[in-house]
Amino acid sequence: QPESSTFVPLLDLYTSLATGARGATYIFNKLLNPSPSVMGGSPPSWSGLYAALWEYCSLFKQEEIPAMKEDEATTLAAYLELLAHVLENGASHDIPQWLSQLQSLDLQILAPHHRDFAHDNGYKPLFPLFFLQQQAIPAKLKGALLIAARSFAPVSNASLAEQVWRFLESSKLLADIPKDGSTSMPIDIRYQLAEVEARAEEYSSTLAFLKLLNRLLMSSQSFHTMLHSYVRFVRESVLAPLMSRGYKDKEQKWDLARECLAFLELTLQGFNIEDVDLEDGKLILDKVAPLQTLQDFLSRGPGCRAIILIIQTGVNQLIEEKHVGVSAYKAELAIESALNLLMSVFQMDRTAANKFNQVGPTYARSYKSMEMHMQHKDIWTILGYVRYHFSPSIQVLALQIAQILEDRIPELVSILLSPQVSGSSSSKSTQQLVHAFAECLQDSLFKPVSIKAPNDSRVMEEDKRASLILSLLLRPLVGKRQGPNLTHLLLGFNLEAGISNTHIDIMSFSPLQVMTEALYQYKCHSTWPQEVEQMLQLFSHLLSDPATSSATLELLRSLENNYFMDVLHVALISPIPHDSPDRIYYIWQIKWILQIHANVLHKSLTEVQQGKDDCKKLLKGLIGDAVKSDATTLPYCAILMALQFCKNALQFEKPTLKQDMRLVHLQRQMQVNLLLSAPELVSEGGVRAMTERGVIVYHIPSLGSILARFFKDLEVNCGWGIESEERARANEVLEETLKYAQNYNVFSQIAHAIQELLSSWEQLMSVTFSRHNIPAMEIQLAPTGCTGFQSLLAFATASLEGLDFVSATSNVHLSQPLARVTNVLMASVLKHTKDVIASGVLYQGINSDTLDVSSCHKFFTVLVNCLSKPADKVVRQYLYGSLIFYLLHTKVTKTPELPSIILEKYEDLDERFHFSSLQHLDGVHEILDQGNMSIMQQQASRLVQAFSQDIIDGVYFTKALALHALSMLIAADPLGTILQEVLSCGVIVSLVRDLESFHLSASSLQQALPNRDLYIFKAVLTLFLEVACSKEGCLMLASSGVIRSLASSKIVESALDSIAGAQSEVTQLREISMLVLQIVLAIFVGLPDSRDVAIYVREFLERHSKLLFSCLNRSSLPVAGLVMTALSNLFRGQNPVDPFFVAQCRGHVVSLAWDVLPPSSIRDAVKQMREDVGHQFSDDLHLGQDTKALLGVTVSTLECLKNMLSLDDGAFERVGKESHRSHGKQLVTIDLLERSLYCAQEILLDLIEVKLRVISYLEENMESSRVLARRMSQAMEIEKFTSESVMVLEYILHILFKVGANNTNRVIPVLDKLLGVASSNSSVAKVAMEPLHVLVRQFRHALSSGTTQT
């Protein structure tokens, strides 16, 4: 060869020219067919290179030379570098041809034995590259030989890589370690490293060997079972002592580190630990390279310790190297590789540790996941790399590992709060960490860069540092980690003083400050980056956490006024992005903005003054300010615009699979429907996957792979050709199925995002309107300007319209939040109305705060329309609740009945007492009722049909609500349209027939039905009672046999038994018993001439006579009153009554009469009220419920005695016998009646005094409508009590008249005494008692004259 001083530079020139595929091709061809040199000598050529290589191989083989000269080695190294450079830059499709040409070279080898040696080895171009590795040549040349061999294995050609691998294996470059205990070391790469390179502190050969291994692994993944010895060599011989060795060139240390780490990373690439079966234990573990790598890490072996040592270089040393050293870039790459490898191990360490530990006693050491091997300083070091802004890739890896550590190490915050270095301040280290995360977040948001992909440096990815930091901050909050957690630490909360006591300075540099700055910048943009959604979510979680809500709210108050409100307004009027991912993120962003407002409002409502001021500002922006948009004809407030936004976002149908008769049989053969309907995830063998947000979607790669396999099977089995029409149809099935799956995935994620948005909207509405006396009722709704009641109905109507819209689409599941909001709003409507009425507004004049007919009719129309359509059972429950609230609202706004004491006193005072207002309200309410009835008439058939469906087929709460709502609807329809539909649809007959299905779970009456069944039974009875209010209803119930069904019901028997005391703790049973008796009584009263009904009632009473008669005492007053009323009607009826039944009842009726007569306890209660009125008139001026109930029973008992007397006088003191108290309580005596008469007269006189006092007080406080409203109920109560007291007197007088018809000497003195007592009263009392005195005088005259007819 020519002198190396001139030849080597020429080769270097060629190397520089062989750049790119074109340059490489030119140089390869030039050296393949070299031109004669004009300067003399042999020009560079591939044949010259290989002639020299083969000759040296033969010389060393024949031991003709002991070693190679240095200048010869230098020339060969330059030659090999050129060859490697050409092959590396050549086009991939040219490489196989080039290698073939290199093997076919015409070599000018002079010595025959040298030529024979080359011939014997086939002139293979790879052979000399590996053969010379075993010879005495310089380390630099060995490295050049291996680099050249590396270039023979391009990444894209696995077959060439396998060819190189075979040469590597046959060369014994890494010899087996002797198993005979010999300490001698084979002359191989291991020896070269330990004895040659380590002494020279130069590692070219080892570095080239590692690069060769990495290229082979990158080209083919089929070497995992053949790499075990190489893994051990890299881990134990190269990597373990790496940081302790000496280096002439410091960059070489980092090159070695990077190649070692890359090698270990490549052994794990594409490896799935889940698929590994360790049944064979140690054998597999020793032979499979990935398992070797994992074993080392999970037992903290030498390789693991070396990698941690590389990472422990730390950010400070790396920054210093960056400023003053020359190897900073190489160090960056090495540390990046270490972090990348660590990340790969983290992804499978837990599964691997479990598998290794289950192998058994073969392995002495236990295996642990990586975080358990890490010390505190290791964690600090890794998180510290977030500060290294020179390499975004390192920051990304540090952030990814930080997410894993946060998830796995509960005490992570405690570790980060401990001093990093002994004697240093923990607060200073923590502050540096906070600043590092803030700076990294700021760089990523405001100065984003492209970052190379972890596994392919040629692929560039978007800057995701900001997303990773925000995700790291969100994880503890979403996972509800108990504070203090990592989020609190990194956001700058004071963990020592307490999170809730933290004051956040907006000027302090922290991730919070960076986020607020970023949100300001994007405030008025129509499109936002995806990180904005994470920031909004973070603020929302901080506000919802009681520990951080105060500090976060204080921070938000320091921002620009109405900042988030402006953001909301901008977001709502901006067009929705068309691109699916952007659309999804955009919807989530608005969701979190609404959630922030809900959280802020909730927090502010709990504060005193500043919170109320914030509420008013916030509600003004949500309700009072119109959001102008080109998309709508009228501006709406933000809350309604958010609802409109949901409608706009749902303007697309749920995708459906293409149905074509040409393809049906192929869809069946390819199992398309079976695949698409399978719910299993990919991990379970299915084709479904779950997104980060928890949405189940199709996993397109898995689905496509399975469909492709089915397609190939069909193609083979059916023998389709490439042009086959059937094959084209099958391919169409495959494409259409994948297209449907992709569209379905988009649809599902958008629908889920809207569902979450509606959830936040629901929370905002609930917080705004479900509280008492909140400022929202005072805000004028934009753009109409209405307030209070009108605003509530407007929002409720809009919510129902939204519900109606989504119900008509394929997004029925979105109806629930809208239905719940409607229910909350109507509950607020009812509460607001009651508050307004309690304030006396009805007596001040009508206004829209009291009643707005058009709003009511609009709401009721939409509500009835929604109820008439099929819907989810939960939605129907809330709709029924809304209907109940609406009907209650229309009921409580009706004009109250004015008691006579008001009318009598103020009938001439129209200018002071607003009778005109009440008359106007009557007119308005009449219009409201007429409108409601009109709406019900139009929809009656559909409405009742929908109700009936829920009543018959519904379950539990849905059925009960439907029953109650239908009962109220019947009551609210005076025209009876709803009732007629109910009677004609057959639901009543079905319910009567189904009464027997409500049986007790056991024969013992002590084990009652579950509460839910009792609730439904009670709801059925409530409907029956409402139906029984009309004659047609009574006829339907009677003909259906409801009385007999109730009589035979075990539940009714148990309910009646509960009144007697056996199950007094069951409140619902007591209510059921009352309803049953009311139904029986209502049917009896409604059909007085029906003989059958009378028989049914008597049978009912006889069947339960023991229980019912046992209730005829003062401890069961409500039931006693109903029973006595039923008996009274039975005795008074036109149909004859069985004398035996009358005799059976007689004793119980008399016993109750002695129990309630004389009404002395009622007299005492009225007298006490009269005395209280005389001292002070208060809001507590009411008779107790027991007193009222007792008076009612007294009236019904006396009425029953009066009617029974016409049938049988056996219950009364017999005529002609002496009247005295010795008769005991077996008969109703004249003495008892006399005492009761006087007592009732005292009650009536006291009530007259109370009535006068009420009139006087009302006259004094006429200007106060609120006082008037409160006193009105008292006046009405006194009126009712007075009328019942008069009935007591009248009934006693009638009984006395009939009992004393033949014993006038005993009765006339009683009447005279009564008249005498009355004459001594005041003139007012005389006037009030005059109607009764007229009756007394008539009775006396009739008795005196012997006439018994009155």
Side-chain angles (χ1 to χ4, degrees):
Q1 295 288 356
E3 292 291 333
S4 61
S5 59
T6 58
F7 198 72
V8 171
L10 180 60
L11 293 174
D12 292 341
L13 175 61
Y14 284 172
T15 301
S16 62
L17 292 174
T19 301
R22 185 175 178 181
T25 302
Y26 171 78
I27 296 299
F28 182 84
N29 291 329
K30 182 174 180 61
L31 270 67
L32 185 64
N33 302 300
S35 302
S37 174
V38 297
M39 299 178 64
S42 300
S45 66
W46 300 132
S47 60
L49 169 63
Y50 269 94
L53 290 175
W54 283 111
E55 286 182 359
Y56 277 117
C57 288
S58 180
L59 288 171
F60 280 115
K61 178 68 174 177
Q62 301 299 328
E63 298 182 358
E64 296 178 12
I65 59 173
M68 184 181 293
K69 296 179 181 180
E70 190 67 31
D71 58 339
E72 294 174 353
T74 301
T75 304
L76 277 178
Y79 241 137
L80 291 167
E81 183 180 352
L82 172 60
L83 175 63
H85 197 72
V86 168
L87 294 177
E88 288 291 338
N89 286 276
S92 58
H93 57 82
D94 289 335
I95 303 301
Q97 181 183 355
W98 289 359
L99 297 182
S100 177
Q101 290 173 333
L102 290 176
Q103 189 169 351
S104 305
L105 290 172
D106 183 15
L107 303 180
Q108 301 299 321
I109 303 176
L110 300 178
H113 63 283
H114 296 333
R115 190 165 47 252
D116 293 340
F117 181 80
H119 180 271
D120 293 341
N121 289 282
Y123 296 100
K124 296 176 182 177
L126 281 169
F127 181 85
L129 304 183
F130 287 100
F131 181 83
L132 291 175
Q133 292 291 324
Q134 306 287 348
Q135 313 309 320
I137 61 175
K140 185 176 182 180
L141 179 57
K142 288 188 176 183
L145 289 166
L146 291 175
I147 292 297
R150 170 177 174 266
S151 63
F152 278 77
V155 175
S156 58
N157 197 319
S159 61
L160 290 177
E162 291 172 4
Q163 183 179 345
V164 175
W165 174 262
R166 287 193 293 272
F167 273 100
L168 174 62
E169 284 285 87
S170 62
S171 68
K172 298 294 183 181
L173 197 56
L174 187 64
D176 296 332
I177 299 176
K179 298 181 180 180
D180 56 1
S182 173
T183 57
S184 62
M185 180 179 292
I187 307 299
D188 61 355
I189 190 69
R190 194 182 292 110
Y191 177 87
Q192 177 78 12
L193 171 63
E195 298 299 328
V196 179
E197 293 183 321
R199 295 175 186 275
E201 297 184 351
E202 204 282 328
Y203 305 89
S204 301
S205 177
T206 302
L207 186 58
F209 180 70
L210 292 172
K211 289 181 178 181
L212 172 61
L213 289 177
N214 290 336
R215 172 59 62 84
L216 294 176
L217 284 178
M218 291 169 61
S219 303
S220 175
Q221 291 291 317
S222 61
F223 308 129
H224 279 166
T225 57
M226 299 178 279
L227 282 174
H228 51 281
S229 59
Y230 298 94
V231 172
R232 179 175 297 177
F233 164 72
V234 171
R235 188 179 66 235
E236 299 178 1
S237 301
V238 185
L239 191 59
L242 179 77
M243 300 301 285
S244 60
R245 283 198 174 106
Y247 300 89
K248 287 182 179 179
D249 182 1
K250 195 173 181 181
E251 289 189 4
Q252 211 169 50
K253 175 180 72 173
W254 298 116
D255 285 336
L256 282 171
R258 185 187 180 197
E259 295 300 331
C260 288
L261 296 168
F263 173 77
L264 295 177
E265 170 69 17
L266 286 169
T267 62
L268 296 177
Q269 189 172 318
F271 177 73
N272 188 0
I273 186 65
E274 298 284 354
D275 299 334
V276 175
D277 183 10
L278 292 183
E279 291 282 331
D280 212 2
K282 187 174 182 180
L283 178 63
I284 293 181
L285 188 59
D286 284 348
K287 295 297 183 181
V288 180
L291 296 181
Q292 278 187 291
T293 303
L294 290 173
Q295 180 196 17
D296 180 83
F297 271 95
L298 303 187
S299 61
R300 197 175 171 85
C304 176
R305 293 195 298 271
I307 291 169
I308 295 297
L309 199 59
I310 292 172
I311 293 174
Q312 284 179 358
T313 300
V315 66
N316 292 330
Q317 185 175 340
L318 198 56
I319 292 174
E320 182 181 353
E321 189 74 24
K322 189 74 175 179
H323 290 306
V324 300
V326 295
S327 59
Y329 177 68
K330 298 289 183 71
E332 280 181 12
L333 296 178
I335 290 173
E336 181 182 340
S337 298
L339 294 173
N340 197 38
L341 175 58
L342 190 60
M343 188 66 194
S344 298
V345 174
F346 267 124
Q347 292 171 355
M348 60 182 83
D349 60 338
R350 287 190 166 180
T351 303
N354 290 335
K355 284 181 175 288
F356 292 159
N357 289 325
Q358 290 172 6
V359 170
T362 307
Y363 309 111
R365 291 175 293 181
S366 62
Y367 298 92
K368 302 176 183 177
S369 55
M370 275 305 300
E371 76 278 0
M372 302 183 70
H373 293 304
M374 300 179 72
Q375 300 177 2
H376 292 185
K377 64 178 180 179
D378 301 332
I379 297 172
W380 261 109
T381 302
I382 292 173
L383 294 183
Y385 282 114
V386 175
R387 188 156 57 94
Y388 192 70
H389 58 87
F390 299 104
S391 174
S393 299
I394 289 179
Q395 291 179 309
V396 166
L397 288 166
L399 291 170
Q400 290 173 335
I401 295 174
Q403 289 185 349
I404 296 174
L405 296 178
E406 188 280 328
D407 183 56
R408 296 189 180 185
I409 304 178
E411 65 277 8
L412 181 60
V413 172
S414 300
I415 294 173
L416 296 178
L417 287 176
S418 59
Q420 183 180 2
V421 181
S422 178
S424 65
S425 171
S426 61
S427 60
K428 182 178 179 181
S429 301
T430 304
Q431 192 63 35
Q432 286 181 346
L433 192 63
V434 172
H435 284 183
F437 274 82
E439 186 177 2
C440 184
L441 179 62
Q442 187 178 55
D443 289 344
S444 182
L445 288 173
F446 302 123
K447 295 180 290 184
V449 296
S450 296
I451 302 175
K452 60 184 178 182
N455 297 323
D456 192 347
S457 60
R458 297 169 296 180
V459 178
M460 302 305 292
E461 298 178 342
E462 293 183 356
D463 193 337
K464 57 182 180 181
R465 290 174 294 169
S467 178
L468 287 171
I469 290 176
L470 294 170
S471 176
L472 178 63
L473 294 172
L474 279 168
R475 290 170 73 91
L477 301 180
V478 174
K480 300 189 183 301
R481 311 264 201 278
Q482 186 175 1
N485 54 45
L486 187 62
T487 304
H488 302 144
L489 175 71
L490 296 179
L491 291 182
F493 285 88
N494 192 331
L495 306 189
E496 296 178 358
I499 301 171
S500 57
N501 299 324
T502 300
H503 168 75
I504 300 177
D505 185 2
I506 188 58
M507 302 307 294
S508 176
F509 189 56
S510 70
L512 268 181
Q513 194 263 353
V514 175
M515 282 188 282
T516 55
E517 182 182 351
L519 289 174
Y520 268 126
Q521 290 201 12
Y522 297 121
K523 173 180 174 181
C524 297
H525 290 196
S526 59
T527 57
W528 299 333
Q530 296 176 358
E531 288 80 10
V532 170
E533 188 246 320
Q534 292 175 292
M535 298 181 206
L536 296 172
Q537 183 183 3
L538 184 63
F539 276 113
S540 174
H541 283 295
L542 290 173
L543 286 167
S544 63
D545 186 351
T548 58
S549 58
S550 297
T552 309
L553 185 58
E554 183 182 354
L555 171 67
L556 296 183
R557 284 171 179 161
S558 66
L559 300 176
E560 181 183 329
N561 290 336
N562 294 328
Y563 167 72
F564 281 107
M565 190 60 64
D566 294 341
V567 172
L568 177 61
H569 286 199
V570 170
L572 290 174
I573 64 176
S574 300
I576 303 175
H578 294 289
D579 185 55
S580 299
D582 292 339
R583 175 182 286 244
I584 294 169
Y585 274 104
Y586 196 75
I587 296 171
W588 276 97
Q589 286 163 358
I590 296 180
K591 176 257 190 313
W592 292 120
I593 296 173
L594 292 177
Q595 190 70 54
I596 286 172
H597 284 106
N599 293 337
V600 170
L601 190 59
H602 173 75
K603 178 65 179 176
S604 299
L605 285 170
T606 61
E607 298 184 355
V608 186
Q609 186 56 45
Q610 185 177 5
K612 291 183 178 179
D613 294 339
D614 289 342
C615 284
K616 291 180 180 178
K617 293 179 183 177
L618 186 59
L619 292 170
K620 181 70 166 55
L622 291 171
I623 300 174
D625 293 336
V627 183
K628 298 180 181 179
S629 170
D630 296 335
T632 55
T633 55
L634 287 175
Y636 292 100
C637 67
I639 288 183
L640 293 181
M641 279 294 291
L643 189 57
Q644 184 62 39
F645 174 86
C646 293
K647 292 182 183 179
N648 295 338
L650 284 171
Q651 296 291 346
F652 62 98
E653 285 296 320
K654 184 176 182 179
T656 56
L657 187 63
K658 182 179 179 179
Q659 299 296 326
D660 192 331
M661 294 304 297
R662 301 177 303 112
L663 310 177
V664 170
H665 66 289
L666 290 170
Q667 289 176 340
R668 191 182 306 112
Q669 289 176 329
M670 295 176 68
Q671 303 182 29
V672 170
N673 293 330
L674 183 63
L675 275 175
L676 295 178
S677 60
E680 290 82 10
L681 298 177
V682 173
S683 59
E684 301 167 346
V687 294
R688 302 270 186 158
M690 183 177 292
T691 67
E692 293 181 355
R693 301 186 192 273
V695 185
I696 301 295
V697 296
Y698 291 112
H699 190 254
I700 302 299
S702 299
L703 178 61
S705 175
I706 296 174
L707 288 173
R709 189 173 71 247
F710 289 158
F711 175 85
K712 290 294 183 183
D713 292 343
L714 279 176
E715 186 178 30
V716 172
N717 296 334
C718 299
W720 293 335
I722 193 67
E723 301 295 333
S724 170
E725 183 178 348
E726 199 73 359
R727 183 182 185 279
R729 289 177 180 174
N731 188 62
E732 184 180 353
V733 169
L734 191 152
E735 293 176 351
E736 288 295 331
T737 303
L738 292 179
K739 181 180 178 182
Y740 161 77
Q742 291 171 339
N743 293 335
Y744 176 85
N745 290 353
V746 173
F747 171 84
S748 299
Q749 293 181 77
I750 292 178
H752 178 257
I754 296 175
Q755 185 175 12
E756 289 296 320
L757 190 155
L758 281 175
S759 176
S760 295
W761 182 80
E762 176 193 354
Q763 292 184 43
L764 181 59
M765 294 292 288
S766 299
V767 172
T768 304
F769 294 108
S770 63
R771 290 174 175 264
H772 181 60
N773 292 332
I774 61 171
M777 306 304 293
E778 303 170 4
I779 305 294
Q780 291 186 344
L781 175 63
T784 59
C786 62
T787 59
F789 169 77
Q790 281 183 306
S791 298
L792 289 171
L793 268 185
F795 284 121
T797 305
S799 181
L800 273 182
E801 289 173 342
L803 187 151
D804 192 34
F805 172 81
V806 299
S807 299
T809 67
S810 50
N811 300 279
V812 182
H813 59 286
L814 301 180
S815 303
Q816 290 191 16
L818 295 165
R820 283 193 294 267
V821 167
T822 305
N823 196 63
V824 168
L825 290 169
M826 291 313 297
S828 297
V829 165
L830 180 61
K831 184 173 178 30
H832 177 64
T833 305
K834 288 181 177 180
D835 292 342
V836 167
I837 292 174
S839 66
V841 168
L842 291 183
Y843 309 105
Q844 293 176 328
I846 185 68
N847 58 46
S848 59
D849 249 1
T850 309
L851 196 64
D852 182 73
V853 174
S854 61
S855 298
C856 288
H857 285 167
K858 184 177 181 181
F859 171 80
F860 191 49
T861 301
V862 182
L863 177 59
V864 168
N865 184 49
C866 291
L867 279 169
S868 302
K869 299 177 181 178
D872 173 68
K873 67 175 184 178
V874 177
V875 171
R876 295 197 68 80
Q877 289 174 6
Y878 287 113
L879 290 179
Y880 285 135
S882 300
L883 176 62
I884 291 171
F885 288 138
Y886 175 76
L887 295 175
L888 288 173
H889 158 74
T890 58
K891 183 178 180 180
V892 299
T893 52
K894 288 185 177 180
T895 309
E897 295 289 339
L898 292 179
S900 59
I901 57 178
I902 301 293
L903 296 173
E904 291 169 2
K905 185 66 179 176
Y906 298 115
E907 58 185 0
D908 298 325
L909 300 177
D910 288 355
E911 71 282 357
R912 295 176 63 195
F913 184 77
H914 299 281
F915 283 106
S916 59
S917 297
L918 293 176
Q919 293 166 1
H920 176 50
L921 184 57
D922 280 338
V924 171
H925 217 290
E926 183 178 354
I927 297 173
L928 174 64
D929 288 342
Q930 289 176 353
N932 288 343
M933 286 186 288
S934 175
I935 295 168
M936 284 188 283
Q937 281 182 318
Q938 295 173 12
Q939 299 283 348
S941 179
R942 292 176 58 203
L943 199 59
V944 172
Q945 184 179 1
F947 275 62
S948 301
Q949 189 70 29
D950 284 334
I951 289 172
I952 296 172
D953 300 331
V955 293
Y956 304 127
F957 197 49
T958 305
K959 185 171 185 173
L961 278 175
L963 288 164
H964 280 300
L966 186 57
S967 302
M968 295 185 66
L969 209 57
I970 294 172
D973 179 24
L975 297 178
T977 308
I978 299 293
L979 178 61
Q980 292 302 321
E981 290 290 338
V982 170
L983 296 178
S984 62
C985 74
V987 66
I988 298 300
V989 176
S990 298
L991 287 174
V992 173
R993 186 173 59 248
D994 293 343
L995 281 178
E996 292 301 323
S997 65
F998 292 92
H999 56 79
L1000 294 179
S1001 57
S1003 58
S1004 172
L1005 294 182
Q1006 300 299 322
Q1007 298 183 12
L1009 279 174
N1011 283 337
R1012 64 187 183 188
D1013 292 327
L1014 291 177
Y1015 188 77
I1016 294 174
F1017 192 82
K1018 187 174 69 174
V1020 172
L1021 297 181
T1022 304
L1023 178 61
F1024 286 168
L1025 184 59
E1026 198 61 54
V1027 171
C1029 292
S1030 67
K1031 187 170 184 179
E1032 295 87 346
C1034 289
L1035 286 170
M1036 174 65 74
L1037 290 171
S1039 62
S1040 302
V1042 68
I1043 299 178
R1044 285 189 169 181
S1045 295
L1046 293 174
S1048 61
S1049 171
K1050 294 295 184 182
I1051 294 182
V1052 173
E1053 184 176 349
S1054 181
L1056 294 173
D1057 188 41
S1058 71
I1059 302 172
Q1063 297 182 6
S1064 58
E1065 73 281 356
V1066 184
T1067 305
Q1068 289 204 76
L1069 287 175
R1070 300 177 70 87
E1071 295 173 353
I1072 286 173
S1073 64
M1074 293 294 295
L1075 285 170
V1076 169
L1077 292 173
Q1078 287 173 340
I1079 291 169
V1080 172
L1081 182 58
I1083 296 174
F1084 193 19
V1085 173
L1087 301 173
D1089 300 329
S1090 173
R1091 180 181 179 86
D1092 291 339
V1093 170
I1095 293 174
Y1096 295 156
V1097 172
R1098 180 176 60 79
E1099 289 177 351
F1100 178 89
L1101 295 175
E1102 286 180 340
R1103 184 182 183 95
H1104 300 290
S1105 59
K1106 182 177 180 181
L1107 294 173
L1108 291 175
F1109 292 155
S1110 67
C1111 296
L1112 297 182
N1113 53 66
R1114 292 184 66 165
S1115 62
S1116 306
L1117 292 177
V1119 176
L1122 289 171
V1123 173
M1124 295 306 293
T1125 304
L1127 289 174
S1128 177
N1129 281 275
L1130 192 65
F1131 296 154
R1132 185 181 58 195
Q1134 302 296 324
N1135 300 300
V1137 183
D1138 184 3
F1140 178 77
F1141 178 73
V1142 176
Q1144 185 183 9
C1145 299
R1146 182 194 308 145
H1148 299 287
V1149 175
V1150 172
S1151 175
L1152 180 61
W1154 277 97
D1155 204 10
V1156 300
L1157 297 176
S1160 54
S1161 59
I1162 300 175
R1163 177 195 60 197
D1164 295 340
V1166 173
K1167 183 175 293 184
Q1168 182 64 46
M1169 184 174 67
R1170 180 175 65 84
E1171 294 175 358
D1172 293 341
V1173 170
H1175 293 95
Q1176 182 179 3
F1177 203 97
S1178 65
D1179 293 342
D1180 298 330
L1181 181 63
H1182 290 285
L1183 291 164
Q1185 292 297 326
D1186 292 341
T1187 303
K1188 296 177 186 177
L1190 182 58
L1191 180 59
V1193 172
T1194 303
V1195 171
S1196 60
T1197 302
L1198 289 169
E1199 183 186 16
C1200 184
L1201 288 171
K1202 171 177 170 291
N1203 293 330
M1204 189 172 66
L1205 186 58
S1206 62
L1207 299 176
D1208 179 17
D1209 62 354
F1212 302 89
E1213 179 182 351
R1214 295 186 182 278
V1215 179
K1217 290 189 177 182
E1218 184 180 358
S1219 176
H1220 53 77
R1221 298 173 186 261
S1222 61
H1223 291 127
K1225 297 183 179 181
Q1226 286 76 31
L1227 299 173
V1228 176
T1229 64
I1230 296 177
D1231 176 69
L1232 176 63
L1233 295 172
E1234 178 184 1
R1235 288 184 288 123
S1236 300
L1237 187 66
Y1238 297 150
C1239 190
Q1241 187 179 36
E1242 291 181 39
I1243 293 171
L1244 193 55
L1245 292 173
D1246 286 339
L1247 285 171
I1248 293 170
E1249 291 293 328
V1250 173
K1251 191 174 179 181
L1252 292 174
R1253 178 57 184 155
V1254 171
I1255 293 173
S1256 174
Y1257 185 84
L1258 289 174
E1259 185 176 14
E1260 295 171 2
N1261 297 273
M1262 197 62 221
E1263 289 77 11
S1264 174
S1265 59
R1266 184 176 293 275
V1267 171
L1268 179 63
R1270 289 202 302 267
R1271 299 294 173 256
M1272 192 67 68
S1273 62
Q1274 296 172 344
M1276 294 173 65
E1277 180 182 288
I1278 294 170
E1279 281 287 321
K1280 184 174 183 297
F1281 209 78
T1282 302
S1283 65
E1284 290 182 342
S1285 300
V1286 170
M1287 292 173 66
V1288 170
L1289 276 167
E1290 289 180 352
Y1291 287 143
I1292 295 175
L1293 287 172
H1294 278 87
I1295 295 171
L1296 272 174
F1297 173 72
K1298 289 188 177 182
V1299 170
N1302 298 321
N1303 195 357
T1304 57
N1305 294 332
R1306 181 73 183 87
V1307 175
I1308 289 178
V1310 174
L1311 299 179
D1312 290 339
K1313 184 177 180 181
L1314 185 66
L1315 292 172
V1317 171
S1319 63
S1320 63
N1321 284 284
S1322 63
S1323 57
V1324 176
K1326 287 180 180 179
V1327 174
M1329 296 289 290
E1330 183 60 27
L1332 282 172
H1333 294 161
V1334 171
L1335 181 63
V1336 172
R1337 285 192 287 269
Q1338 290 176 350
F1339 283 166
R1340 189 185 187 289
H1341 177 73
L1343 290 173
S1344 300
S1345 60
T1347 305
T1348 59
Q1349 301 296 325
T1350 60

